[in-house]
Amino acid sequence: MVDATDLYQEIIMDHTKSPRNYEHLADADHEAQGDNPLCGDELTVYIKLDDGKVTDVTFEADGCAISTASASVMTEAVEGRDIDDVEELVETFKNLVTGEEDANAIDPAELGDLAALRNVQNFPTRVKCATLSWHTLQAALNGRDEPVTTE
Ligand code: ZN
């Protein structure tokens, strides 16, 4: 068993207590809603694009610590990136938290605070909490109207 303190690391706690980019983005040109019935997490992701680049990304959420922290970390990680770059990061993150990619093979400097969420792979029931915002981000970028659900 991994101790709970390993899951709720300092970085995660910090993002949970003070989520970054936590606001409604009035002039968003893309938005999507996601929900994870397994845990009860609900969130909305707002994106503003300019010339294929994410110039602004925010979220609002009603969920557990992991889903909120993951969304907060995500907004910081994708802001300023090209859409192709974002799609790549979404895949990297999903592989990281599902344990499909060797965490040691990923450069922590490249991931920044995202690396803090890799211990989620030790808690299979929390993986969907961590990936919810990322699925929702993809849905927003792809302009899907249907709410995203992890089920
Ligand atoms: Zn959750």
Side-chain angles (χ1 to χ4, degrees):
M1 274 303 286
V2 177
D3 193 85
T5 52
D6 286 329
L7 176 62
Y8 296 103
Q9 295 170 53
E10 211 173 303
I11 292 172
I12 295 174
M13 287 294 288
D14 182 48
H15 279 275
T16 304
K17 271 193 271 179
S18 333
R20 320 297 197 271
N21 305 301
Y22 190 100
E23 61 183 337
H24 174 247
L25 189 61
D27 60 348
D29 37 37
H30 293 265
E31 67 175 79
Q33 286 182 314
D35 104 279
N36 172 24
L38 197 67
C39 177
D41 308 317
E42 292 178 11
L43 58 86
T44 307
V45 172
Y46 306 94
I47 303 170
K48 200 163 156 52
L49 292 176
D50 185 30
D51 201 21
K53 224 180 197 62
V54 176
T55 55
D56 212 351
V57 51
T58 67
F59 77 105
E60 288 178 306
D62 180 11
C64 68
I66 292 297
S67 64
T68 301
S70 183
S72 173
V73 169
M74 179 191 78
T75 59
E76 288 201 314
V78 304
E79 191 170 324
R81 287 185 193 250
D82 292 334
I83 292 176
D84 288 349
D85 209 11
V86 170
E87 291 285 351
E88 219 170 279
L89 191 63
V90 170
E91 292 313 313
T92 300
F93 182 78
K94 283 188 200 164
N95 289 335
L96 184 76
V97 296
T98 56
E100 281 177 27
E101 196 161 322
D102 182 2
N104 296 322
I106 300 171
D107 180 6
E110 197 183 306
L111 288 180
D113 286 357
L114 294 182
L117 286 150
R118 70 177 172 207
N119 283 349
V120 168
Q121 67 184 253
N122 299 318
F123 301 84
T125 57
R126 311 311 297 274
V127 168
K128 285 177 176 174
C129 301
T131 56
L132 176 65
S133 55
W134 297 78
H135 284 296
T136 309
L137 176 80
Q138 275 186 316
L141 285 174
N142 295 327
R144 274 180 242 148
D145 291 331
E146 291 285 300
V148 179
T149 176
T150 55
E151 294 303 302

